Amino acid sequence: AQSVTQLDSHVSVSEGTPVLLRCNYSSSYSPSLFWYVQHPNKGLQLLLKYTSAATLVKGINGFEAEFKKSETSFHLTKPSAHMSDAAEYFCVVTNNAGNMLTFGGGTRLMVKP
Amino acid sequence: NAGVTQTPKFRVLKTGQSMTLLCAQDMNHEYMYWYRQDPGMGLRLIHYSVGEGTTAKGEVPDGYNVSRLKKQNFLLGLESAAPSQTSVYFCASWSTGAYYEQYFGPGTRLTVT
């Protein structure tokens, strides 16, 4: 079975500083991995996905993530935080068939002015 | 395309009451899912369907029933609501193919008093 651990439940950054949200996964096969964002009282929006192509994946709104098999990690980064980035972020891994998702517990990103 | 829609958006129930949540998708997807989201726990899979007329249990199925009579609709039922079912419910759909992306509805916020 696959699993995913988001290492920080809360991250606080100042506007204009870099963002790092950490995610480790466990899987017995080569997984597909995603990052979703959820703004307050909103649904989930796909930020980016890794599906065994390039290990550095670029997403929307300046976010990117790097798949590191040796470290079983898929950390999300952004060079410069914006106030509108304040939200909950979920790291997600698929099963081997790609039709089931397992969610991490989420990381709440706070951005200070 | 409307994508994935959910009805209703909000609902308050008393303990013991029943209700049905409706999920509809217009993308002709084979797979549909119901999740619940609780604070600090990410999304957990309740039930899912791999096609019209089929349903299967997910991680947290107790207290819920589902039906998929039409390909585009997936219903989630609570026969006797309990306070522990207070949550935000998300529906999602997915199609086989190269993208491995689930599309999510906007969510239904359910409170059981």
Side-chain angles (χ1 to χ4, degrees):
Chain A
Q2 66 282 356
S3 66
V4 61
T5 302
Q6 293 183 240
L7 299 170
D8 307 291
S9 59
H10 293 81
V11 169
S12 181
V13 301
S14 296
E15 190 175 21
T17 64
V19 174
L20 170 64
L21 305 183
R22 299 182 296 164
C23 172
N24 286 353
Y25 70 92
S26 173
S27 175
S28 58
Y29 48 87
S30 190
S32 294
L33 292 153
F34 304 81
W35 277 98
Y36 281 87
V37 61
Q38 184 181 32
H39 288 91
N41 300 312
K42 300 290 186 183
L44 286 93
Q45 180 182 19
L46 181 67
L47 269 182
L48 50 81
K49 59 187 175 186
Y50 166 77
T51 56
S52 74
T55 56
L56 183 62
V57 182
K58 294 189 184 300
I60 60 172
N61 299 334
F63 285 94
E64 63 181 37
E66 186 171 8
F67 174 73
K68 292 187 176 181
K69 186 174 181 178
S70 61
E71 300 176 9
T72 61
S73 69
F74 191 56
H75 300 336
L76 182 69
T77 60
K78 183 173 181 178
S80 176
H82 192 272
M83 295 297 292
S84 60
D85 294 328
E88 184 107 25
Y89 291 80
F90 294 99
C91 183
V92 182
V93 65
T94 62
N95 64 349
N96 197 18
N99 57 11
M100 294 294 168
L101 302 183
T102 299
F103 282 76
T107 298
R108 183 166 297 279
L109 175 65
M110 294 166 283
V111 182
K112 298 175 290 187
Chain B
N1 286 352
V4 180
T5 58
Q6 292 182 231
T7 309
K9 289 185 170 52
F10 303 93
R11 186 72 185 267
V12 179
L13 288 180
K14 294 186 187 303
T15 297
Q17 288 184 322
S18 63
M19 78 162 294
T20 300
L21 281 67
L22 170 64
C23 175
Q25 54 97 2
D26 61 1
M27 297 173 283
N28 203 34
H29 286 173
E30 296 91 354
Y31 288 72
M32 296 186 75
Y33 310 80
W34 276 108
Y35 297 90
R36 60 177 289 171
Q37 182 182 26
D38 301 296
M41 302 186 75
L43 273 68
R44 293 181 293 167
L45 183 65
I46 304 171
H47 286 282
Y48 65 99
S49 168
V50 303
E52 183 177 320
T54 73
T55 62
K57 294 180 180 180
E59 180 185 355
V60 288
D62 294 341
Y64 305 95
N65 57 75
V66 288
S67 65
R68 183 114 181 256
L69 299 179
K70 294 182 179 180
K71 187 177 184 179
Q72 63 268 33
N73 295 338
F74 194 30
L75 279 65
L76 178 71
L78 286 73
E79 290 186 348
S80 179
S84 61
Q85 293 177 305
T86 293
S87 188
V88 181
Y89 292 86
F90 287 97
C91 177
S93 69
W94 179 75
S95 179
T96 56
Y99 295 103
Y100 296 106
E101 178 181 345
Q102 288 193 9
Y103 293 82
F104 286 85
T108 295
R109 186 173 296 274
L110 174 66
T111 302
V112 183
T113 61

